[in-house]
Amino acid sequence: MQTVFCLLISVFLFFIPVNLNDADIDPEDRIRESMDVVEELVNLPEKGVPSSMIRKAEGIIIIPKIVKAGFIIGGRHGKGIALIKGEDGSWSHPLFVKITGGSLGWQVGVQKIELLLVFRDRETVISVADGEFEIGADASVTAGPVGRSASAGTNAKLEAEIYSYSRSKGLFVGISLDGAKLSTAEDQNKQFYGRKEIEAEMIFNNKVSAHPELLSELKAKLRKLANNN
């Protein structure tokens, strides 16, 4: 009986999260989903992400779908994109990244969450590509301000290392990110950019090209959202 119980837990933890997260989604579709998520978060009435957060950011990570699932022991998994700003204020090409993490405690169920991370230091985003980056250990994260009334407070200076925005079923939700790990999704980068070997530095410095129309659309979207009032 105990063996059967353990087997059921294993199936729930490992097979269900991967399937619900659409791990094999085409990278082009992942970029489109990311564009939709950040646009919806900024344009939410009254409690949207202030456009000044996008304008002042030195880098962002967008995870359009994180699946949190658990049966006694929980887990989370999701893939998305990371971008940094150059010295001229323009956005880089997207680097595909993934987030993973676990938690202990009595919990049952599955939850899908959208996540936007706003960075005040581009080097912090770059360090994600250098290896496994642990939120809370390598950089602190704070829930970001929401609503247009928050713009005045965020226009002057960003104080936290990372601001987070998470939403589930159309509503902002609290999500504990301490201990979550960010790393490069190498398979998606190779697939999207069409290279067997590709370094993050090449992507962030726009030294590799692919799908120019889609990338132009992504960067134009971010510029527009940064200038929303």
Side-chain angles (χ1 to χ4, degrees):
M1 184 68 180
Q2 184 177 3
T3 302
V4 174
F5 182 71
C6 292
L7 180 60
L8 289 174
I9 290 177
S10 299
V11 170
F12 187 86
L13 287 177
F14 294 105
F15 286 97
I16 291 180
V18 172
N19 290 335
L20 287 177
N21 191 57
D22 295 329
D24 296 327
I25 187 173
D26 187 272
E28 293 181 53
D29 291 334
R30 199 176 300 280
I31 289 178
R32 294 187 180 94
E33 286 185 354
S34 297
M35 285 194 289
D36 291 341
V37 165
V38 70
E39 183 174 34
E40 290 169 3
L41 291 179
V42 171
N43 290 327
L44 279 175
E46 297 183 3
K47 292 188 177 182
V49 177
S51 58
S52 58
M53 296 299 291
I54 306 297
R55 187 164 57 250
K56 289 289 186 178
E58 292 296 325
I60 60 172
I61 289 180
I62 311 164
I63 310 289
K65 186 193 300 178
I66 296 176
V67 172
K68 291 180 63 181
F71 185 80
I72 303 176
I73 300 174
R76 53 178 168 245
H77 181 83
K79 289 184 178 180
I81 58 174
L83 302 94
I84 63 171
K85 274 184 185 170
E87 294 182 359
D88 61 355
S90 63
W91 288 100
S92 71
H93 289 348
L95 174 75
F96 291 88
V97 296
K98 58 185 176 183
I99 185 170
T100 57
S103 58
L104 296 174
W106 184 261
Q107 51 192 311
V108 177
V110 176
Q111 185 180 26
K112 298 177 184 178
I113 295 173
E114 300 166 348
L115 178 67
L116 168 65
L117 297 177
V118 178
F119 293 74
R120 70 181 180 91
D121 184 356
R122 69 171 63 90
E123 294 301 322
T124 306
V125 186
I126 293 173
S127 66
V128 172
D130 292 336
E132 203 166 74
F133 179 96
E134 184 174 334
I135 297 176
D138 296 312
S140 61
V141 61
T142 301
V146 297
R148 294 188 178 183
S149 60
S151 294
T154 57
N155 272 335
K157 189 177 182 181
L158 298 179
E159 298 290 348
E161 292 180 279
I162 307 172
Y163 286 96
S164 71
Y165 295 90
S166 53
R167 188 178 70 153
S168 179
K169 297 181 180 179
L171 300 174
F172 278 105
V173 296
I175 176 175
S176 175
L177 291 173
D178 282 350
K181 295 178 180 179
L182 289 163
S183 57
T184 304
E186 295 182 2
D187 56 333
Q188 295 252 291
N189 286 303
K190 292 176 182 178
Q191 182 180 351
F192 183 77
Y193 291 104
R195 294 194 176 200
K196 292 183 179 180
E197 299 294 333
I198 185 168
E199 297 179 359
E201 182 269 340
M202 297 173 63
I203 296 173
F204 282 146
N205 288 291
N206 299 335
K207 292 181 179 179
V208 58
S209 60
H211 310 277
E213 292 184 3
L214 179 59
L215 295 187
S216 294
E217 182 182 354
L218 169 62
K219 296 175 186 182
K221 179 86 68 178
L222 292 174
R223 288 195 300 270
K224 179 179 179 182
L225 293 176
N227 293 314
N228 280 359
N229 295 319

